[in-house]
PDB file of all heavy atoms in Angstrom:
ATOM      1  N   LEU K  34     -17.099 -15.262   2.711  1.00 71.00           N
ATOM      2  CA  LEU K  34     -17.346 -14.418   3.865  1.00 71.00           C
ATOM      3  C   LEU K  34     -17.873 -13.037   3.459  1.00 71.00           C
ATOM      4  O   LEU K  34     -18.004 -12.141   4.263  1.00 71.00           O
ATOM      5  CB  LEU K  34     -16.063 -14.230   4.660  1.00 71.00           C
ATOM      6  CG  LEU K  34     -15.508 -15.498   5.330  1.00 71.00           C
ATOM      7  CD1 LEU K  34     -14.177 -15.231   5.997  1.00 71.00           C
ATOM      8  CD2 LEU K  34     -16.486 -16.092   6.308  1.00 71.00           C
ATOM      9  N   GLY K  35     -18.170 -12.907   2.169  1.00 68.00           N
ATOM     10  CA  GLY K  35     -18.654 -11.633   1.650  1.00 68.00           C
ATOM     11  C   GLY K  35     -17.590 -10.926   0.859  1.00 68.00           C
ATOM     12  O   GLY K  35     -16.547 -11.494   0.516  1.00 68.00           O
ATOM     13  N   ALA K  36     -17.818  -9.674   0.560  1.00 64.00           N
ATOM     14  CA  ALA K  36     -16.835  -8.882  -0.167  1.00 64.00           C
ATOM     15  C   ALA K  36     -15.710  -8.465   0.765  1.00 64.00           C
ATOM     16  O   ALA K  36     -15.966  -8.051   1.918  1.00 64.00           O
ATOM     17  CB  ALA K  36     -17.509  -7.647  -0.773  1.00 64.00           C
ATOM     18  N   PHE K  37     -14.471  -8.589   0.295  1.00 65.00           N
ATOM     19  CA  PHE K  37     -13.346  -8.263   1.160  1.00 65.00           C
ATOM     20  C   PHE K  37     -12.774  -6.882   0.830  1.00 65.00           C
ATOM     21  O   PHE K  37     -12.694  -6.483  -0.333  1.00 65.00           O
ATOM     22  CB  PHE K  37     -12.234  -9.305   0.963  1.00 65.00           C
ATOM     23  CG  PHE K  37     -12.528 -10.617   1.612  1.00 65.00           C
ATOM     24  CD1 PHE K  37     -13.118 -11.634   0.896  1.00 65.00           C
ATOM     25  CD2 PHE K  37     -12.238 -10.821   2.953  1.00 65.00           C
ATOM     26  CE1 PHE K  37     -13.391 -12.858   1.485  1.00 65.00           C
ATOM     27  CE2 PHE K  37     -12.514 -12.032   3.543  1.00 65.00           C
ATOM     28  CZ  PHE K  37     -13.083 -13.048   2.831  1.00 65.00           C
ATOM     29  N   ALA K  38     -12.401  -6.185   1.860  1.00 71.00           N
ATOM     30  CA  ALA K  38     -11.729  -4.911   1.694  1.00 71.00           C
ATOM     31  C   ALA K  38     -10.551  -4.871   2.711  1.00 71.00           C
ATOM     32  O   ALA K  38     -10.669  -5.393   3.810  1.00 71.00           O
ATOM     33  CB  ALA K  38     -12.683  -3.749   1.987  1.00 71.00           C
ATOM     34  N   PRO K  39      -9.437  -4.283   2.301  1.00 79.00           N
ATOM     35  CA  PRO K  39      -8.292  -4.253   3.222  1.00 79.00           C
ATOM     36  C   PRO K  39      -8.518  -3.308   4.393  1.00 79.00           C
ATOM     37  O   PRO K  39      -9.217  -2.309   4.273  1.00 79.00           O
ATOM     38  CB  PRO K  39      -7.167  -3.743   2.336  1.00 79.00           C
ATOM     39  CG  PRO K  39      -7.837  -2.984   1.250  1.00 79.00           C
ATOM     40  CD  PRO K  39      -9.143  -3.662   0.997  1.00 79.00           C
ATOM     41  N   ARG K  40      -7.968  -3.666   5.526  1.00 87.00           N
ATOM     42  CA  ARG K  40      -7.977  -2.737   6.669  1.00 87.00           C
ATOM     43  C   ARG K  40      -6.921  -1.689   6.376  1.00 87.00           C
ATOM     44  O   ARG K  40      -5.742  -1.991   6.178  1.00 87.00           O
ATOM     45  CB  ARG K  40      -7.649  -3.517   7.959  1.00 87.00           C
ATOM     46  CG  ARG K  40      -8.680  -4.627   8.242  1.00 87.00           C
ATOM     47  CD  ARG K  40      -8.399  -5.296   9.563  1.00 87.00           C
ATOM     48  NE  ARG K  40      -9.244  -6.468   9.758  1.00 87.00           N
ATOM     49  CZ  ARG K  40     -10.507  -6.466  10.147  1.00 87.00           C
ATOM     50  NH1 ARG K  40     -11.081  -5.292  10.439  1.00 87.00           N
ATOM     51  NH2 ARG K  40     -11.216  -7.559  10.268  1.00 87.00           N
ATOM     52  N   THR K  41      -7.363  -0.451   6.370  1.00 92.00           N
ATOM     53  CA  THR K  41      -6.514   0.623   5.857  1.00 92.00           C
ATOM     54  C   THR K  41      -5.877   1.444   6.986  1.00 92.00           C
ATOM     55  O   THR K  41      -6.285   1.387   8.130  1.00 92.00           O
ATOM     56  CB  THR K  41      -7.331   1.551   4.937  1.00 92.00           C
ATOM     57  OG1 THR K  41      -8.436   2.086   5.685  1.00 92.00           O
ATOM     58  CG2 THR K  41      -7.865   0.777   3.735  1.00 92.00           C
ATOM     59  N   LEU K  42      -4.893   2.240   6.571  1.00 94.00           N
ATOM     60  CA  LEU K  42      -4.187   3.146   7.472  1.00 94.00           C
ATOM     61  C   LEU K  42      -5.041   4.402   7.666  1.00 94.00           C
ATOM     62  O   LEU K  42      -5.285   5.126   6.698  1.00 94.00           O
ATOM     63  CB  LEU K  42      -2.836   3.473   6.867  1.00 94.00           C
ATOM     64  CG  LEU K  42      -1.805   4.201   7.723  1.00 94.00           C
ATOM     65  CD1 LEU K  42      -1.450   3.378   8.946  1.00 94.00           C
ATOM     66  CD2 LEU K  42      -0.554   4.441   6.878  1.00 94.00           C
ATOM     67  N   ASP K  43      -5.468   4.635   8.889  1.00 93.00           N
ATOM     68  CA  ASP K  43      -6.359   5.758   9.161  1.00 93.00           C
ATOM     69  C   ASP K  43      -5.569   7.016   9.477  1.00 93.00           C
ATOM     70  O   ASP K  43      -5.502   7.480  10.623  1.00 93.00           O
ATOM     71  CB  ASP K  43      -7.283   5.391  10.348  1.00 93.00           C
ATOM     72  CG  ASP K  43      -8.366   6.453  10.544  1.00 93.00           C
ATOM     73  OD1 ASP K  43      -8.598   7.242   9.630  1.00 93.00           O
ATOM     74  OD2 ASP K  43      -8.985   6.454  11.638  1.00 93.00           O
ATOM     75  N   LEU K  44      -4.940   7.553   8.453  1.00 96.00           N
ATOM     76  CA  LEU K  44      -4.182   8.784   8.561  1.00 96.00           C
ATOM     77  C   LEU K  44      -4.555   9.711   7.427  1.00 96.00           C
ATOM     78  O   LEU K  44      -4.687   9.249   6.285  1.00 96.00           O
ATOM     79  CB  LEU K  44      -2.670   8.516   8.521  1.00 96.00           C
ATOM     80  CG  LEU K  44      -2.067   7.720   9.706  1.00 96.00           C
ATOM     81  CD1 LEU K  44      -0.622   7.366   9.391  1.00 96.00           C
ATOM     82  CD2 LEU K  44      -2.143   8.533  11.000  1.00 96.00           C
ATOM     83  N   PRO K  45      -4.737  10.993   7.664  1.00 94.00           N
ATOM     84  CA  PRO K  45      -5.184  11.907   6.588  1.00 94.00           C
ATOM     85  C   PRO K  45      -4.204  11.965   5.409  1.00 94.00           C
ATOM     86  O   PRO K  45      -4.616  12.184   4.272  1.00 94.00           O
ATOM     87  CB  PRO K  45      -5.284  13.270   7.284  1.00 94.00           C
ATOM     88  CG  PRO K  45      -4.477  13.134   8.522  1.00 94.00           C
ATOM     89  CD  PRO K  45      -4.575  11.707   8.942  1.00 94.00           C
ATOM     90  N   GLU K  46      -2.910  11.762   5.677  1.00 94.00           N
ATOM     91  CA  GLU K  46      -1.929  11.852   4.602  1.00 94.00           C
ATOM     92  C   GLU K  46      -1.804  10.553   3.823  1.00 94.00           C
ATOM     93  O   GLU K  46      -1.056  10.486   2.838  1.00 94.00           O
ATOM     94  CB  GLU K  46      -0.563  12.233   5.183  1.00 94.00           C
ATOM     95  CG  GLU K  46       0.012  11.249   6.179  1.00 94.00           C
ATOM     96  CD  GLU K  46      -0.331  11.595   7.622  1.00 94.00           C
ATOM     97  OE1 GLU K  46      -1.455  12.080   7.841  1.00 94.00           O
ATOM     98  OE2 GLU K  46       0.514  11.348   8.499  1.00 94.00           O
ATOM     99  N   ALA K  47      -2.555   9.514   4.193  1.00 96.00           N
ATOM    100  CA  ALA K  47      -2.410   8.219   3.552  1.00 96.00           C
ATOM    101  C   ALA K  47      -3.114   8.158   2.191  1.00 96.00           C
ATOM    102  O   ALA K  47      -2.595   7.621   1.215  1.00 96.00           O
ATOM    103  CB  ALA K  47      -2.942   7.117   4.459  1.00 96.00           C
ATOM    104  N   ALA K  48      -4.350   8.693   2.122  1.00 93.00           N
ATOM    105  CA  ALA K  48      -5.179   8.526   0.928  1.00 93.00           C
ATOM    106  C   ALA K  48      -4.487   8.946  -0.377  1.00 93.00           C
ATOM    107  O   ALA K  48      -4.562   8.205  -1.370  1.00 93.00           O
ATOM    108  CB  ALA K  48      -6.499   9.263   1.105  1.00 93.00           C
ATOM    109  N   PRO K  49      -3.803  10.089  -0.453  1.00 95.00           N
ATOM    110  CA  PRO K  49      -3.190  10.494  -1.738  1.00 95.00           C
ATOM    111  C   PRO K  49      -2.068   9.553  -2.183  1.00 95.00           C
ATOM    112  O   PRO K  49      -1.673   9.589  -3.349  1.00 95.00           O
ATOM    113  CB  PRO K  49      -2.649  11.891  -1.429  1.00 95.00           C
ATOM    114  CG  PRO K  49      -3.385  12.355  -0.234  1.00 95.00           C
ATOM    115  CD  PRO K  49      -3.665  11.135   0.577  1.00 95.00           C
ATOM    116  N   LEU K  50      -1.551   8.727  -1.272  1.00 96.00           N
ATOM    117  CA  LEU K  50      -0.420   7.875  -1.604  1.00 96.00           C
ATOM    118  C   LEU K  50      -0.832   6.476  -2.049  1.00 96.00           C
ATOM    119  O   LEU K  50      -0.001   5.730  -2.558  1.00 96.00           O
ATOM    120  CB  LEU K  50       0.513   7.750  -0.376  1.00 96.00           C
ATOM    121  CG  LEU K  50       1.064   9.043   0.196  1.00 96.00           C
ATOM    122  CD1 LEU K  50       1.881   8.754   1.463  1.00 96.00           C
ATOM    123  CD2 LEU K  50       1.940   9.768  -0.832  1.00 96.00           C
ATOM    124  N   VAL K  51      -2.104   6.131  -1.856  1.00 94.00           N
ATOM    125  CA  VAL K  51      -2.550   4.761  -2.135  1.00 94.00           C
ATOM    126  C   VAL K  51      -2.397   4.452  -3.614  1.00 94.00           C
ATOM    127  O   VAL K  51      -2.801   5.245  -4.482  1.00 94.00           O
ATOM    128  CB  VAL K  51      -4.032   4.566  -1.728  1.00 94.00           C
ATOM    129  CG1 VAL K  51      -4.546   3.195  -2.158  1.00 94.00           C
ATOM    130  CG2 VAL K  51      -4.173   4.717  -0.207  1.00 94.00           C
ATOM    131  N   GLY K  52      -1.778   3.317  -3.878  1.00 90.00           N
ATOM    132  CA  GLY K  52      -1.545   2.892  -5.243  1.00 90.00           C
ATOM    133  C   GLY K  52      -0.305   3.458  -5.884  1.00 90.00           C
ATOM    134  O   GLY K  52       0.102   3.035  -6.967  1.00 90.00           O
ATOM    135  N   ARG K  53       0.350   4.402  -5.187  1.00 93.00           N
ATOM    136  CA  ARG K  53       1.582   5.011  -5.708  1.00 93.00           C
ATOM    137  C   ARG K  53       2.759   4.575  -4.848  1.00 93.00           C
ATOM    138  O   ARG K  53       3.673   3.912  -5.334  1.00 93.00           O
ATOM    139  CB  ARG K  53       1.451   6.530  -5.734  1.00 93.00           C
ATOM    140  CG  ARG K  53       0.326   6.993  -6.699  1.00 93.00           C
ATOM    141  CD  ARG K  53      -0.009   8.457  -6.521  1.00 93.00           C
ATOM    142  NE  ARG K  53       1.164   9.320  -6.640  1.00 93.00           N
ATOM    143  CZ  ARG K  53       1.487  10.261  -5.748  1.00 93.00           C
ATOM    144  NH1 ARG K  53       0.703  10.484  -4.721  1.00 93.00           N
ATOM    145  NH2 ARG K  53       2.558  10.982  -5.961  1.00 93.00           N
ATOM    146  N   THR K  54       2.748   4.973  -3.575  1.00 96.00           N
ATOM    147  CA  THR K  54       3.822   4.549  -2.666  1.00 96.00           C
ATOM    148  C   THR K  54       3.272   3.916  -1.394  1.00 96.00           C
ATOM    149  O   THR K  54       4.037   3.501  -0.533  1.00 96.00           O
ATOM    150  CB  THR K  54       4.728   5.754  -2.300  1.00 96.00           C
ATOM    151  OG1 THR K  54       3.931   6.831  -1.823  1.00 96.00           O
ATOM    152  CG2 THR K  54       5.521   6.199  -3.528  1.00 96.00           C
ATOM    153  N   LEU K  55       1.952   3.827  -1.275  1.00 96.00           N
ATOM    154  CA  LEU K  55       1.302   3.127  -0.172  1.00 96.00           C
ATOM    155  C   LEU K  55       0.433   2.002  -0.795  1.00 96.00           C
ATOM    156  O   LEU K  55      -0.441   2.308  -1.644  1.00 96.00           O
ATOM    157  CB  LEU K  55       0.455   4.075   0.656  1.00 96.00           C
ATOM    158  CG  LEU K  55      -0.514   3.460   1.691  1.00 96.00           C
ATOM    159  CD1 LEU K  55       0.239   2.600   2.687  1.00 96.00           C
ATOM    160  CD2 LEU K  55      -1.314   4.552   2.407  1.00 96.00           C
ATOM    161  N   HIS K  56       0.650   0.788  -0.387  1.00 94.00           N
ATOM    162  CA  HIS K  56       0.004  -0.346  -1.039  1.00 94.00           C
ATOM    163  C   HIS K  56      -0.627  -1.274  -0.002  1.00 94.00           C
ATOM    164  O   HIS K  56      -0.009  -1.595   1.004  1.00 94.00           O
ATOM    165  CB  HIS K  56       1.021  -1.130  -1.874  1.00 94.00           C
ATOM    166  CG  HIS K  56       1.895  -0.292  -2.741  1.00 94.00           C
ATOM    167  ND1 HIS K  56       1.513   0.119  -3.992  1.00 94.00           N
ATOM    168  CD2 HIS K  56       3.115   0.245  -2.521  1.00 94.00           C
ATOM    169  CE1 HIS K  56       2.477   0.876  -4.524  1.00 94.00           C
ATOM    170  NE2 HIS K  56       3.473   0.965  -3.644  1.00 94.00           N
ATOM    171  N   TYR K  57      -1.850  -1.714  -0.325  1.00 91.00           N
ATOM    172  CA  TYR K  57      -2.513  -2.741   0.511  1.00 91.00           C
ATOM    173  C   TYR K  57      -2.493  -4.090  -0.194  1.00 91.00           C
ATOM    174  O   TYR K  57      -2.933  -5.098   0.385  1.00 91.00           O
ATOM    175  CB  TYR K  57      -3.960  -2.318   0.773  1.00 91.00           C
ATOM    176  CG  TYR K  57      -4.056  -1.041   1.556  1.00 91.00           C
ATOM    177  CD1 TYR K  57      -4.449   0.145   0.940  1.00 91.00           C
ATOM    178  CD2 TYR K  57      -3.741  -1.000   2.930  1.00 91.00           C
ATOM    179  CE1 TYR K  57      -4.518   1.353   1.652  1.00 91.00           C
ATOM    180  CE2 TYR K  57      -3.796   0.186   3.638  1.00 91.00           C
ATOM    181  CZ  TYR K  57      -4.194   1.353   3.014  1.00 91.00           C
ATOM    182  OH  TYR K  57      -4.264   2.533   3.699  1.00 91.00           O
ATOM    183  N   LYS K  58      -1.972  -4.123  -1.401  1.00 85.00           N
ATOM    184  CA  LYS K  58      -1.825  -5.356  -2.149  1.00 85.00           C
ATOM    185  C   LYS K  58      -0.683  -5.165  -3.120  1.00 85.00           C
ATOM    186  O   LYS K  58      -0.563  -4.104  -3.760  1.00 85.00           O
ATOM    187  CB  LYS K  58      -3.132  -5.666  -2.898  1.00 85.00           C
ATOM    188  CG  LYS K  58      -3.114  -6.962  -3.690  1.00 85.00           C
ATOM    189  CD  LYS K  58      -4.466  -7.216  -4.332  1.00 85.00           C
ATOM    190  CE  LYS K  58      -4.486  -8.519  -5.100  1.00 85.00           C
ATOM    191  NZ  LYS K  58      -5.809  -8.766  -5.735  1.00 85.00           N
ATOM    192  N   VAL K  59       0.188  -6.173  -3.239  1.00 86.00           N
ATOM    193  CA  VAL K  59       1.322  -6.060  -4.155  1.00 86.00           C
ATOM    194  C   VAL K  59       0.933  -6.644  -5.503  1.00 86.00           C
ATOM    195  O   VAL K  59       0.666  -7.839  -5.614  1.00 86.00           O
ATOM    196  CB  VAL K  59       2.536  -6.803  -3.571  1.00 86.00           C
ATOM    197  CG1 VAL K  59       3.704  -6.714  -4.557  1.00 86.00           C
ATOM    198  CG2 VAL K  59       2.946  -6.201  -2.239  1.00 86.00           C
ATOM    199  N   THR K  60       0.943  -5.830  -6.509  1.00 79.00           N
ATOM    200  CA  THR K  60       0.663  -6.290  -7.869  1.00 79.00           C
ATOM    201  C   THR K  60       1.904  -6.185  -8.749  1.00 79.00           C
ATOM    202  O   THR K  60       1.986  -6.870  -9.775  1.00 79.00           O
ATOM    203  CB  THR K  60      -0.457  -5.457  -8.502  1.00 79.00           C
ATOM    204  OG1 THR K  60      -0.105  -4.067  -8.479  1.00 79.00           O
ATOM    205  CG2 THR K  60      -1.773  -5.655  -7.749  1.00 79.00           C
ATOM    206  N   GLN K  61       2.851  -5.357  -8.339  1.00 87.00           N
ATOM    207  CA  GLN K  61       4.086  -5.194  -9.108  1.00 87.00           C
ATOM    208  C   GLN K  61       5.287  -5.217  -8.157  1.00 87.00           C
ATOM    209  O   GLN K  61       5.785  -4.169  -7.747  1.00 87.00           O
ATOM    210  CB  GLN K  61       4.072  -3.880  -9.904  1.00 87.00           C
ATOM    211  CG  GLN K  61       3.001  -3.796 -10.963  1.00 87.00           C
ATOM    212  CD  GLN K  61       3.003  -2.463 -11.665  1.00 87.00           C
ATOM    213  OE1 GLN K  61       2.583  -1.426 -11.133  1.00 87.00           O
ATOM    214  NE2 GLN K  61       3.498  -2.437 -12.907  1.00 87.00           N
ATOM    215  N   PRO K  62       5.789  -6.409  -7.809  1.00 91.00           N
ATOM    216  CA  PRO K  62       6.925  -6.500  -6.887  1.00 91.00           C
ATOM    217  C   PRO K  62       8.136  -5.731  -7.362  1.00 91.00           C
ATOM    218  O   PRO K  62       8.927  -5.267  -6.527  1.00 91.00           O
ATOM    219  CB  PRO K  62       7.190  -8.010  -6.845  1.00 91.00           C
ATOM    220  CG  PRO K  62       5.909  -8.648  -7.215  1.00 91.00           C
ATOM    221  CD  PRO K  62       5.279  -7.733  -8.210  1.00 91.00           C
ATOM    222  N   ALA K  63       8.283  -5.544  -8.675  1.00 93.00           N
ATOM    223  CA  ALA K  63       9.456  -4.856  -9.203  1.00 93.00           C
ATOM    224  C   ALA K  63       9.526  -3.399  -8.700  1.00 93.00           C
ATOM    225  O   ALA K  63      10.616  -2.802  -8.728  1.00 93.00           O
ATOM    226  CB  ALA K  63       9.445  -4.885 -10.730  1.00 93.00           C
ATOM    227  N   LEU K  64       8.395  -2.816  -8.301  1.00 93.00           N
ATOM    228  CA  LEU K  64       8.423  -1.458  -7.766  1.00 93.00           C
ATOM    229  C   LEU K  64       9.285  -1.330  -6.552  1.00 93.00           C
ATOM    230  O   LEU K  64       9.750  -0.232  -6.217  1.00 93.00           O
ATOM    231  CB  LEU K  64       6.987  -0.986  -7.448  1.00 93.00           C
ATOM    232  CG  LEU K  64       6.046  -0.752  -8.611  1.00 93.00           C
ATOM    233  CD1 LEU K  64       4.650  -0.394  -8.104  1.00 93.00           C
ATOM    234  CD2 LEU K  64       6.571   0.357  -9.527  1.00 93.00           C
ATOM    235  N   CYS K  65       9.521  -2.448  -5.854  1.00 95.00           N
ATOM    236  CA  CYS K  65      10.282  -2.415  -4.615  1.00 95.00           C
ATOM    237  C   CYS K  65      11.779  -2.639  -4.847  1.00 95.00           C
ATOM    238  O   CYS K  65      12.566  -2.530  -3.909  1.00 95.00           O
ATOM    239  CB  CYS K  65       9.759  -3.498  -3.663  1.00 95.00           C
ATOM    240  SG  CYS K  65       8.068  -3.267  -3.167  1.00 95.00           S
ATOM    241  N   ASP K  66      12.158  -2.942  -6.065  1.00 97.00           N
ATOM    242  CA  ASP K  66      13.572  -3.230  -6.335  1.00 97.00           C
ATOM    243  C   ASP K  66      14.446  -2.027  -5.987  1.00 97.00           C
ATOM    244  O   ASP K  66      14.183  -0.896  -6.414  1.00 97.00           O
ATOM    245  CB  ASP K  66      13.758  -3.595  -7.802  1.00 97.00           C
ATOM    246  CG  ASP K  66      13.183  -4.960  -8.148  1.00 97.00           C
ATOM    247  OD1 ASP K  66      12.731  -5.657  -7.223  1.00 97.00           O
ATOM    248  OD2 ASP K  66      13.175  -5.285  -9.346  1.00 97.00           O
ATOM    249  N   ASP K  67      15.490  -2.303  -5.136  1.00 97.00           N
ATOM    250  CA  ASP K  67      16.463  -1.280  -4.740  1.00 97.00           C
ATOM    251  C   ASP K  67      15.820  -0.082  -4.065  1.00 97.00           C
ATOM    252  O   ASP K  67      16.325   1.043  -4.158  1.00 97.00           O
ATOM    253  CB  ASP K  67      17.291  -0.817  -5.952  1.00 97.00           C
ATOM    254  CG  ASP K  67      18.035  -1.959  -6.613  1.00 97.00           C
ATOM    255  OD1 ASP K  67      18.623  -2.778  -5.880  1.00 97.00           O
ATOM    256  OD2 ASP K  67      18.048  -2.053  -7.854  1.00 97.00           O
ATOM    257  N   GLN K  68      14.710  -0.305  -3.363  1.00 97.00           N
ATOM    258  CA  GLN K  68      14.015   0.742  -2.653  1.00 97.00           C
ATOM    259  C   GLN K  68      14.067   0.500  -1.149  1.00 97.00           C
ATOM    260  O   GLN K  68      14.372  -0.602  -0.680  1.00 97.00           O
ATOM    261  CB  GLN K  68      12.549   0.817  -3.111  1.00 97.00           C
ATOM    262  CG  GLN K  68      12.367   1.077  -4.599  1.00 97.00           C
ATOM    263  CD  GLN K  68      12.809   2.450  -5.014  1.00 97.00           C
ATOM    264  OE1 GLN K  68      12.481   3.454  -4.384  1.00 97.00           O
ATOM    265  NE2 GLN K  68      13.617   2.525  -6.071  1.00 97.00           N
ATOM    266  N   ASP K  69      13.770   1.573  -0.390  1.00 98.00           N
ATOM    267  CA  ASP K  69      13.635   1.444   1.072  1.00 98.00           C
ATOM    268  C   ASP K  69      12.168   1.103   1.374  1.00 98.00           C
ATOM    269  O   ASP K  69      11.272   1.926   1.103  1.00 98.00           O
ATOM    270  CB  ASP K  69      14.031   2.751   1.762  1.00 98.00           C
ATOM    271  CG  ASP K  69      15.496   3.107   1.527  1.00 98.00           C
ATOM    272  OD1 ASP K  69      16.340   2.227   1.699  1.00 98.00           O
ATOM    273  OD2 ASP K  69      15.760   4.256   1.143  1.00 98.00           O
ATOM    274  N   ILE K  70      11.939  -0.075   1.927  1.00 98.00           N
ATOM    275  CA  ILE K  70      10.595  -0.592   2.077  1.00 98.00           C
ATOM    276  C   ILE K  70      10.232  -0.769   3.564  1.00 98.00           C
ATOM    277  O   ILE K  70      11.061  -1.280   4.347  1.00 98.00           O
ATOM    278  CB  ILE K  70      10.438  -1.963   1.377  1.00 98.00           C
ATOM    279  CG1 ILE K  70      10.828  -1.831  -0.115  1.00 98.00           C
ATOM    280  CG2 ILE K  70       9.021  -2.483   1.518  1.00 98.00           C
ATOM    281  CD1 ILE K  70      10.009  -0.866  -0.901  1.00 98.00           C
ATOM    282  N   VAL K  71       9.039  -0.346   3.925  1.00 98.00           N
ATOM    283  CA  VAL K  71       8.485  -0.618   5.244  1.00 98.00           C
ATOM    284  C   VAL K  71       7.255  -1.496   5.021  1.00 98.00           C
ATOM    285  O   VAL K  71       6.408  -1.167   4.181  1.00 98.00           O
ATOM    286  CB  VAL K  71       8.100   0.664   5.999  1.00 98.00           C
ATOM    287  CG1 VAL K  71       7.344   0.308   7.289  1.00 98.00           C
ATOM    288  CG2 VAL K  71       9.339   1.472   6.341  1.00 98.00           C
ATOM    289  N   ILE K  72       7.201  -2.598   5.763  1.00 98.00           N
ATOM    290  CA  ILE K  72       6.035  -3.483   5.695  1.00 98.00           C
ATOM    291  C   ILE K  72       5.380  -3.478   7.069  1.00 98.00           C
ATOM    292  O   ILE K  72       6.024  -3.683   8.087  1.00 98.00           O
ATOM    293  CB  ILE K  72       6.439  -4.927   5.307  1.00 98.00           C
ATOM    294  CG1 ILE K  72       7.024  -4.936   3.887  1.00 98.00           C
ATOM    295  CG2 ILE K  72       5.249  -5.860   5.409  1.00 98.00           C
ATOM    296  CD1 ILE K  72       7.473  -6.310   3.435  1.00 98.00           C
TER     297      ILE K  72
END
């Protein structure tokens, strides 16, 4: 279907958090261990 890109959160405060505490893809599930998670 072409190149895929995630549908992102359109908030100004979102961009600095991407890859740190805001994720569009889970690559390290262990980061969530014993954490408060919103999906």
Side-chain angles (χ1 to χ4, degrees):
L34 296 176
F37 285 94
R40 301 185 188 279
T41 58
L42 190 61
D43 188 18
L44 294 171
E46 61 268 35
L50 302 176
V51 174
R53 297 168 55 229
T54 52
L55 169 58
H56 313 275
Y57 298 106
K58 182 178 181 180
V59 178
T60 56
Q61 295 178 287
L64 291 176
C65 298
D66 290 353
D67 300 318
Q68 301 292 313
D69 297 312
I70 305 299
V71 172
I72 296 179

